[in-house]
Amino acid sequence: MWYFRSPEIVFGEDALSRLDSLVGKHAFIVTDAAIASLGLVDRVREKLNGAGTSSTVFSKVEPEPSLQTVQRGAEEMRAVSPDWIIGVGGGSVLDAAMAMRILYERPDLAPEAINPFEPLGLGTQVRLICIPTTAGTGSEVTAGAVLTDLEAQRKIEVGSYEAVPDIAIIDPQFTATLPRQLTADTGIDVLTHSVEGYCNTWANDFCDGLCLQATRMVFEYLPRVVEHGVADMEAREKMANAAAIAGLGMGNSHIALAHAMGHAAGAIFGIPHGRITGLVLPFTIEYTTNVSAGRYLDLARMIGLPAQDEAQAGQQLAAAIRGLLTRIDQPVSIQAAGISPEDFEAKLADVCDRAEMDASIITSRRIPDRSAFEQLFRYAYAGQSIDF
């Protein structure tokens, strides 16, 4: 038995007008200082005022949001007793908003105790709206968040299917002015979500179509939006939609080896999440294909590759992804991402330690042991195709 969970999704031009009909007395808006300075939060507050809903703004979320910031936000919520929490921002902001919602409704829980398998009884005090300002993470439709515990100097994962946002508002105007580099970094994250959402061992009929469609959309629209930016609003809108579509697919199946490697290398080397997971994705495809364990043929055909079997599909898909990375000026090796040989060697053991412990590997179709992880990272550092 399995479940498929999704928010109410409002998308397309003027999707923000969904707030015109919001019923509630007070909204707690979670964002960061940069988004607040762009006037996007002001647009949200104008809509809320028109609906008769007052609002409070919490703009203290940092990149890689901390547990301490989330706890502070939940405490500030208790002072105003909101009907709605509204996250406005990228993946860090939306993760923080979701985590604040859990701690607001369940202040009795230790953060480490929050997991998808224990009922939390959410939804009796407040509801959650997510409005993404990047097209990549899919956090507007998913159930988990990664927080940094600054005191313990570690990352913790929190999440509950009960915390999936109630409403996701995907308005392309909110991603219109996204800088070129951030557009590429977050856009390639969509591809990793869609490919791994389709190819992991928990893949299912309800997610497969979403992942295939999102993959096609990334190959078609990401190069356009990176090249033309705000001048190509069709591509901007399609990538915003693709991020949510891939998020639904991945969030209702799972992720796999590229995320395990990306989480580890990204944290140790300081490479943005989307950039590093997109970089290692072709290597993990080759690694899986080499033992005939892949599920790549439909993905390859979806983007017009001439593969006749899984072996051809894996190799062609890996090459196509590297071609896409090159086209949008993304690195295709860890060395090209700016990591020196000395830094790589000094930190490789720690990277492998983290990758081995990452929960993403449990649904991979080929799971590396320690020596294979080290070899994978060495090949990925050099940009060498996997031959083992």
Side-chain angles (χ1 to χ4, degrees), residues 64-68 146-151 153-156:
E64 308 291 333
S66 70
L67 171 62
Q68 287 70 29
V146 178
L147 307 177
T148 301
D149 185 337
L150 299 176
E151 295 175 359
Q153 295 187 326
R154 64 188 178 98
K155 289 188 181 292
I156 60 172

Side-chain angles (χ1 to χ4, degrees), residues 45-366:
R45 300 190 81 182
E46 288 172 8
K47 292 289 187 182
L48 293 173
N49 289 338
T53 302
S54 60
S55 58
T56 299
V57 177
F58 180 92
S59 59
K60 303 170 186 175
V61 178
E62 66 272 61
E64 308 291 333
S66 70
L67 171 62
Q68 287 70 29
T69 295
V70 166
Q71 291 172 323
R72 190 180 312 122
E75 187 62 34
E76 291 191 22
M77 285 181 195
R78 295 184 189 104
V80 296
S81 301
D83 307 289
W84 294 94
I85 299 168
I86 304 178
V88 183
S92 293
V93 166
L94 302 187
D95 279 4
M98 189 210 70
M100 287 179 197
R101 186 258 183 95
I102 296 174
L103 295 184
Y104 173 69
E105 292 203 74
R106 291 296 307 273
D108 57 305
L109 286 179
E112 305 83 30
I114 299 168
N115 66 78
F117 308 106
E118 300 292 334
L120 300 182
L122 302 182
T124 61
Q125 300 178 51
V126 71
R127 299 177 72 194
L128 175 63
I129 298 173
C130 285
I131 306 174
T133 60
T134 63
T137 68
S139 298
E140 64 273 16
V141 296
T142 54
V146 178
L147 307 177
T148 301
D149 185 337
L150 299 176
E151 295 175 359
Q153 295 187 326
R154 64 188 178 98
K155 289 188 181 292
I156 60 172
E157 295 184 22
V158 302
S160 167
Y161 292 121
E162 297 174 51
V164 170
D166 298 279
I167 301 173
I169 296 177
I170 303 164
D171 191 322
Q173 289 295 329
F174 274 61
T175 66
T177 58
L178 199 64
R180 188 180 192 276
Q181 183 64 67
L182 195 54
T183 297
D185 284 343
T186 56
I188 205 64
D189 199 19
V190 180
L191 184 65
T192 310
H193 290 163
S194 63
V195 170
E196 293 211 311
Y198 188 81
C199 295
N200 75 82
T201 59
W202 288 359
N204 59 81
D205 290 346
F206 286 83
C207 298
D208 283 355
L210 295 168
C211 293
L212 288 169
Q213 172 68 355
T215 299
R216 184 195 65 78
M217 292 173 74
V218 172
F219 272 90
E220 182 172 354
Y221 294 108
L222 181 56
R224 282 173 49 179
V225 77
V226 169
E227 182 176 357
H228 301 297
V230 71
D232 191 341
M233 282 305 295
E234 179 192 26
R236 191 62 89 178
E237 179 176 355
K238 294 294 187 180
M239 280 304 303
N241 292 344
I245 292 168
L248 284 173
M250 170 269 297
N252 285 286
S253 59
H254 206 242
I255 45 183
L257 181 56
H259 274 81
M261 293 181 65
H263 289 157
I268 294 291
F269 295 125
I271 303 171
H273 172 78
R275 191 182 307 170
I276 185 61
T277 54
L279 185 162
V280 299
L281 179 61
F283 299 97
T284 65
I285 292 172
E286 291 169 338
Y287 179 71
T288 305
T289 296
N290 287 346
V291 295
S292 302
R295 191 181 184 232
Y296 303 118
L297 187 57
D298 287 339
L299 286 164
R301 289 174 174 172
M302 194 68 177
I303 60 171
L305 300 176
Q308 298 301 310
D309 55 36
E310 285 291 348
Q312 291 182 5
Q315 297 300 325
Q316 291 177 16
L317 181 62
I321 292 170
R322 290 191 178 106
L324 176 63
L325 290 169
T326 300
R327 187 174 175 186
I328 61 172
D329 298 324
Q330 291 285 93
V332 295
S333 70
I334 296 175
Q335 185 173 30
I339 308 304
S340 70
E342 296 78 15
D343 196 24
F344 176 76
E345 290 297 335
K347 296 175 179 177
L348 179 58
D350 287 342
V351 171
C352 291
D353 286 344
R354 294 197 183 203
E356 279 190 295
M357 294 186 294
D358 195 286
S360 305
I361 64 172
I362 64 172
T363 48
S364 300
R365 292 184 179 268
R366 184 184 182 190

Side-chain angles (χ1 to χ4, degrees), residues 362-384:
I362 64 172
T363 48
S364 300
R365 292 184 179 268
R366 184 184 182 190
I367 299 176
D369 60 16
R370 174 56 179 242
S371 62
F373 261 126
E374 182 175 332
Q375 200 171 3
L376 278 166
F377 279 114
R378 289 191 182 281
Y379 275 54
Y381 183 79
Q384 179 180 348

